[in-house]
Every structure is written in structure tokens, then in C-alpha cells.
DNA sequence: CCCTGAATCATCCGAACGGGCGACTGCGCG
DNA sequence: CGCGCAGTCGCCCGTTCGGATGATTCAGGG
């Protein structure tokens, strides 16, 4: 802002000097002093507005409205918890498919293995997660960050 | 803004008139005209700054910043979706309990009603949500914001 | 080489679930 | 009053699930 003050002073000085020069050459003898004063008033009003705005332009009031956006990101799996629970890759895979609402049969078809195998895996992962129903397993897995 | 213009004009007029009165009484003969002009300059600069700021002060810049807020806390239910799906209060309640991993029997005991009734409710809510397995219902309900 | 862990498949059984049906009650609305 | 809706309950039937147990195969480590 310091520079602007100097600039403003300089401009004002130049104008006043200019007016003074003009004053003795034309205006004083040709126009009444009210016009002289009016001119100065107009010029400095404009300058005042200009610099007033300029000095405060950056002072825009920034209203930050925080919109709560649900972003759970790309889902980062909690590898520690996975090891902690002791799930194998296959069990984890099947857990994910269970969480998608698939039946054991559908999972079996999807993975080209028997439904019985799915049941074995699911039983084991239920044990490891200490639950006894698939919905509970899904809920717990979500809490632990094992599935999205 | 119109009022301000009028006000500004009025203030300016009064000041000029005032200066004119003063002019013939004191200043012209006691002070050089530069001071007279400088006075006008200062006064109108201040006025310019004042009104310039005043007219543009309301220039608030509203920045809508979408902030990734982790709002798992309070959980605001999506009432629109609830009506859209057409679930009754009871069905919604039972849906929530299903999502907690409870069996039909457990839900019945918790609500002091028959397991058969739970089955009726769950069947109806499955229809309304267009699913045929409880895990699917839970998943869909979470997506729709019907349950935490 | 043997042992272990994993993945696979199987069988059995009881419990849980889903779907369908009928029925009764209580409440609000026209 | 009659009608419809929500809530309650019961029964039946077939499917799915969960639990238990056993077997086979295969890869990797001691």
C-alpha cells in the first residue's frame, strides 16, 4: 500500500501543480472560481473512489460455505486389521462378495467353484471374525475397513 | 444507490456553498488559493473514498468450497428416499435391526412381537426395496441413506 | 521328505430365511 | 358405516445358511 500512497501523493501534486499553472494562464481570468473548485472536487472525488477501491479491493468478503460431501475416497483397505483377523485372500474375496448381497450359490458360480466350498470358506471366516451370521460379518468387515 | 447519489450531490453542494461563503469572508484574503484547492481536494478525496467504498462494500464473494467432511457422526436420514421407497416406520425400524445383524427371532424378542410378524415386515420391505435377501436390503438402505 | 496351511469338495442336520396365504385388529378418511 | 392401510400373528413349504466333520490336492518351509 505504501507505493500507492506515494503514487497518490505524486498524482495529486502533479495535478495541483498543473492546475496552478493553468490557473494563471486561463482559468482564473476566464472562469469564476467555483468552476475551479468544482474541477478539483470532481478530479479528487474520482481519485478518491479509485484509490479507495484499489486499496480495499482485495478485501472481498469471502464466505466459505462448507458443503458436507461424503467422500470415503477410493477406499484404502486396512491391511493390518486383515492380518489381525487372519483372513486368507480367498476368504477375504468371498467376504466381499457376501457383502454385495450374493448368495453362496451365486458366489460359487462367479468363482467357478462349488457352493460347498463357499460354505466352508464362509464358515471359516465367520469363525475368524467371531460372528455367526453373514450380515454381522459384513457389518464388522465394514467397521474394520476390510471392505468398501 | 440512487439515494446515495442524491445525498452525495447534496453534501457536495452544501460544502461548495459553505466554501463559497467562507471564501469571501476569510480565505481568499488570508490564504493562498492553493490551500483552498487543497482543502477541496482533501474533502472530496475523503468523500470519494467513503462513497466509493460504500457503493461497493456489499461485494461479497461467495465461495462455495466443497469440503470433504468426515460426517459419520450424527447421520442425517434421507427422508425423501424413505418416502420414495414407501417404507412404513415399523418396516424402517426392522430394516435397521436387520442391518445390525440380528436374526428375525432376535428382532422379535427385542420388539416383543412374534417372529412371524418380523417375517411379514421383512418380506414387505424386501418387496418395496426390490431385493430378495436381507444383505441386499442392508446394502441398498445404506446407499440410499436410510440407515447409518 | 514330511508337515502345515490353503483351497477344494462332499455329506449331514438343524436352524434360519423367503415367499405365499389367510386372518384379525385398530385407525383414519370419505 | 364401509374401505383401505398398517400392524399383528399363524401356518406351510422349499430354499438357504451355518455348523460339524472328513477327505483330497497342492505349494512352501523346516
Amino acid at each position: 500500500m505504501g507505493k500507492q500512497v506515494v503514487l497518490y501523493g505524486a498524482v495529486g501534486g502533479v495535478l495541483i501543480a498543473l492546475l496552478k499553472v493553468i490557473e494563471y494562464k486561463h482559468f482564473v481570468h476566464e472562469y469564476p472560481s467555483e468552476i475551479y473548485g468544482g474541477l478539483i472536487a470532481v478530479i479528487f472525488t474520482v481519485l478518491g473512489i479509485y484509490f479507495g477501491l484499489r486499496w480495499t479491493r482485495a478485501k472481498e468478503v469471502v464466505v466459505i460455505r462448507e458443503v458436507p460431501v461424503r467422500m470415503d475416497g477410493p477406499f484404502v483397505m486396512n491391511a493390518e486389521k486383515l492380518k489381525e483377523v487372519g483372513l486368507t485372500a480367498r476368504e477375504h474375496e468371498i467376504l466381499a462378495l457376501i457383502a454385495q448381497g450374493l448368495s453362496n450359490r451365486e458366489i460359487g458360480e462367479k468363482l467357478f467353484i462349488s457352493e460347498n466350498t463357499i460354505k466352508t470358506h464362509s464358515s471359516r471366516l465367520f469363525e475368524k471374525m467371531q460372528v455367526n451370521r453373514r450380515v454381522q460379518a459384513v457389518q464388522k468387515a465394514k467397521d474394520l475397513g476390510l471392505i468398501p
Side-chain angles (χ1 to χ4, degrees), chain A:
Chain A
M1 188 200 271
K3 269 198 296 188
Q4 265 94 356
V5 173
V6 173
L7 181 62
Y8 185 66
V11 171
V14 169
L15 280 175
I16 288 177
L18 193 65
L19 285 170
K20 190 175 173 186
V21 170
I22 293 171
E23 175 187 3
Y24 293 111
K25 290 201 172 175
H26 312 278
F27 283 90
V28 163
H29 306 295
E30 297 176 18
Y31 302 100
S33 65
E34 287 87 47
I35 290 186
Y36 172 53
L39 243 182
I40 295 179
V42 169
I43 290 172
F44 280 88
T45 297
V46 171
L47 281 176
I49 291 176
Y50 173 71
F51 282 100
L53 288 182
R54 173 144 191 167
W55 290 341
T56 59
R57 190 182 307 164
K59 261 194 173 180
E60 290 170 338
V61 178
V62 177
V63 177
I64 297 177
R65 191 171 307 157
E66 295 199 346
V67 178
V69 173
R70 214 188 256 276
M71 53 157 294
D72 298 339
F75 166 65
V76 276
M77 198 191 56
N78 193 333
E80 294 79 31
K81 290 285 173 65
L82 215 177
K83 281 189 178 175
E84 202 178 306
V85 178
L87 293 187
T88 69
R90 201 55 159 171
E91 286 161 357
H92 183 216
E93 185 181 11
I94 284 160
L95 172 59
L97 294 174
I98 285 178
Q100 288 172 26
L102 302 181
S103 69
N104 289 341
R105 173 163 304 162
E106 287 166 338
I107 298 174
E109 288 166 1
K110 198 178 188 86
L111 299 183
F112 305 107
I113 56 181
S114 163
E115 180 185 349
N116 292 309
T117 307
I118 304 299
K119 291 177 67 175
T120 303
H121 285 313
S122 61
S123 286
R124 281 213 261 267
L125 77 86
F126 288 161
E127 280 188 82
K128 289 178 181 176
M129 300 186 71
Q130 303 167 47
V131 297
N132 47 11
R133 270 188 283 288
R134 47 176 57 222
V135 189
Q136 291 176 344
V138 170
Q139 205 207 5
K140 198 156 185 174
K142 294 212 176 200
D143 283 349
L144 296 178
L146 267 37
I147 52 176

